[in-house]
Amino acid sequence: MGVSGSGKNTVGELLARKLELPFYDADDYHPEVNIRKMNEGKPLDDSDREPWLKKLSSEIRNWIDSGGAVLACSALKESYRKLLENGNEGIQWIVLRGSHDLIYDRIKKRADHFFSSELLQSQFDTFEVPEYGYHLQVEESPSILADRVFSLIGLQESGRIGLIGLGTMGKQLCRNLLRNGFKLAVYNQDEGEEKGTVNAFVSKYSNEGKLRGYTDYRSFVQSLESPRIILLMVKAGEVVDLVIEGLMSYLEAEDVIIDAGNSFFKDTERRQRYLKENGIELIGMGVSGGASGALNGPSFMPGGDDNCIDMVYPLLQITAAKDNDGKACVTSVGPGGSGHYIKMVHNGIEYAEMQLIAEIYSYLRQGMSNEEIGKIFKEWSHGESDSFLLGISHKIIFKKNSPQEFLIDTISDKAGSKGTGNWAVESASELGFPASMIMAAVNFRMISNMKNIRDRFSRDLNQDPREGDLMDIGSLYKTFHWARIINHHQGFELLRMASEAYNWKLELAEIARIWTNGCIIRSALMERCAEKLKTGAILNDPSNFKWLVEAEKEVIEFITDSAEKRIPIPCFSSAYNFWLAITAKNLPTNLVQAQRDFFGGHGFYRKDDPHGEIERLNWDD
Ligand code: 6PG
C-alpha cells in the first residue's frame, strides 16, 4: 500500500514473482460506475469505494484459502483497511513511504502525461499512516524493497526466533515480535524467583502456537531452525558470558546471537572473536526505549558483521519505532562493538540531559512549588526543547502520594547507575575527548551517594540553599536549551573520535536520526541534530554558533544566581566552561606545561614554533 507513484505495483509484482504467488492490482476490481467516474476525471468518494473494497475483501478471502497472493492497493485510510480486512486473518501490510517531492519527481520522470502535484498532495493529506505493518522507504530500488519483504516473510515463516531472558524488556520485545508475525522460542531459567516465569508467559501470550517456552538450553536451541537467530535480553556483564557458554555446545556455524543488553563494547568485541572461532556471529546491539519502547518500537543500534545484520534487518525494521518520515529507527551502525559503544554514548547524553533537568528543578525549588515547576516543564515540552525526558519529568513532578504530599518529595536523593555513564567517561578519557558534561553528571550521582558525609557537612554548615527571586523563566529556558546543545555536541564528537580511533566509519547524522524516536533521548533538538550533522559538528553550524554566542549572557546569569543561592549546577557549569575554553585562543596551560617541565623535565614547545623541537629548561639556573 501507499500513495500513487510509490511503486506498489512494481514492488508487488517483483515480490509475487519471488514468492511464486499471484499478483493483483486493486484498480482492476473497480465496478463499472467507478471506472466511468474516474474516466470523467471525477474523484471517488468513500461511498464509491465501499463496494469496491468489499469486493476486494471477499477476493482476499479466496486468495488466502488458495495459499496467498500479493495485492497492490493504496488503502490510504484506516476505514478502507478495515473493510479490506473484514475478518480476513493473516494480511501482512507493506507500507511504501516516501516524501511528496521524491514521489512527484519519480512520477514526472516516468509518466509521459501530465500529473498534478496537487493531486498527489491530496493523496498525502488523505493518507492515514498505519502504526502497524512493514514500512519501507521508496528511496531504495523496487528490487531491494521486494528483497526486504521477501526476507522478512522468510524470517516469519521459517523457524522460530529465539529469545533468552524474560525480564521486563525481554517480555515486551517478545510481545512486539509476536504482534509482528514472528514465531518465537523463549528461554528463561526456572530457579528461585524466576520459577514459573516461562510457563506463565507462554500461557498468557501463546497465540496459536506461535510461542514456545523452554527452561533448558538444549531443547531451546534444537527448537530453532538453522541458521538460528537468538536474541539475548539478559543483564550485561558476566551473565552474557554464562549464557553464551550454556548455548555453545548446541550452536552451529552460521548461527547468529544478538546481544541486546547494555554490554561494554570491549566485552562485545572479545565475545565476537571467541564466537567467530566457531563460525558463530555476534551482533552487539544497543536498544533504547525502556519497557514501553520494547513493546511499541524501540531504537535499535546493531553493530557487527554487515551481512549478518542484513539478515536480521527486516526483523528489526518492522519492530523498531518510526521516525517522522516513517523510516524505522534502526541502522547498521558499524562493525565490531560499535553498536554497544553508540548505546553507551547515548546513555552518557541521557545522564547529562537528566542532570540538566534536575539542576533546573533544584533552582526553581528555591522560589516555586512543585505545581509551578511541573507547569513550567510542561510548557517547555511544547517548544524547541521538547524531549521525552522533559515530558516524563513534568509527569513525575505532578505525581502525588496523597492530596497533601508529592511523590517527588518522598524519594531519596541517592541516584543509582548501572555503569554505562561511567564507561562513557572512561572511554572519553582514553580517547582524549573532553566529555565534560557526561563526567559532571556521573560525578553528581556519585556525590549523591555520599549521603552520610553530606548530612554531616550540611549540619556543620547549617545553611540551606537560599530562596529568593528567580531569574526570568524565558531566560532560564534559553539557558537550558543552550546547555543541551553543548551536551549533544560533546556526545556526537565523542562518537566521531571513537569512529576515527576504531575505524568504524560511523554516520553521525544517521545515528541522530535513529535517536529521533523510540529512545530515551528523543527530542526536537535531536531532529535538528540529524539535519545539522549532515554537514559537520553541531558547533560548526553557523546558526547554532551565533545563537550560543547571543544566549551566553543568560547562562552567566543562571550560573551566578545559582552560586549565590548555593545551588550546585555542575552540568551547566561544565557546559559553560567547555564553551569558554573551546572558544579561547589562549589557555593557561602554558603554565601547566612549564610546571611539568620544572618538576619532571617533560619539555614544552614555543608559541612561535609549536611543531618544532621540544625544549627543556634547566630551571635551577
Ligand atoms: C534506554 C536506557 C536504559 C536504562 C539505562 C539506565 O536507553 O532505554 O538508557 O538502557 O534505563 O541503562 O541506566 P542507569 O541505571 O545507569 O541510569
Side-chain angles (χ1 to χ4, degrees), residues 169 262 287-291 301 343 346-347 350-351 354 416-422 445 518-521:
M169 292 284 284
N262 279 332
V287 180
S288 176
M301 300 146 237
K343 177 64 197 327
H346 166 285
N347 283 20
E350 173 187 300
Y351 271 51
M354 292 163 79
S417 63
K418 296 208 194 71
T420 45
N422 304 53
R445 289 197 194 186
C519 74
I520 303 295
I521 55 172

Side-chain angles (χ1 to χ4, degrees), residues 299-463:
S299 167
F300 289 124
M301 300 146 237
D305 177 82
D306 231 4
N307 292 331
C308 188
I309 295 177
D310 230 33
M311 176 179 141
V312 299
Y313 202 69
L315 176 152
L316 303 176
Q317 217 174 9
I318 195 168
T319 43
K322 308 291 176 290
D323 70 12
N324 273 344
D325 295 326
K327 249 183 174 165
C329 291
V330 55
T331 194
S332 173
V333 291
S338 58
H340 278 142
Y341 191 93
I342 286 165
K343 177 64 197 327
M344 175 190 83
V345 175
H346 166 285
N347 283 20
I349 298 174
E350 173 187 300
Y351 271 51
E353 290 287 289
M354 292 163 79
Q355 176 66 23
L356 289 175
I357 298 173
E359 290 177 12
I360 296 259
Y361 157 72
S362 73
Y363 175 80
L364 291 176
R365 270 203 306 190
Q366 303 321 312
M368 282 185 179
S369 67
N370 282 330
E371 253 135 5
E372 286 166 320
I373 300 173
K375 266 192 207 138
I376 287 174
F377 283 180
K378 194 169 176 192
E379 267 166 38
W380 287 6
S381 302
H382 300 300
E384 59 181 358
S385 254
D386 173 25
S387 74
F388 167 77
L389 285 168
L390 193 61
I392 63 165
S393 301
H394 78 71
K395 289 188 187 136
I396 292 168
I397 290 176
F398 280 138
K399 187 96 185 152
K400 284 186 162 180
N401 288 334
S402 68
Q404 296 77 32
E405 189 177 65
F406 284 91
L407 170 74
I408 189 72
D409 295 334
T410 63
I411 295 180
S412 154
D413 62 2
K414 283 165 81 172
S417 63
K418 296 208 194 71
T420 45
N422 304 53
W423 296 339
V425 170
E426 278 167 34
S427 169
S429 305
E430 194 180 329
L431 295 171
F433 183 79
S436 60
M437 292 182 69
I438 304 179
M439 210 177 274
V442 168
N443 287 347
F444 204 75
R445 289 197 194 186
M446 293 182 199
I447 295 181
S448 83
N449 280 292
M450 301 166 84
K451 188 72 179 159
N452 291 341
I453 300 176
R454 286 196 288 121
D455 279 349
R456 208 192 88 199
F457 286 155
S458 65
R459 231 182 4 252
D460 291 351
L461 183 72
N462 196 20
Q463 260 191 51

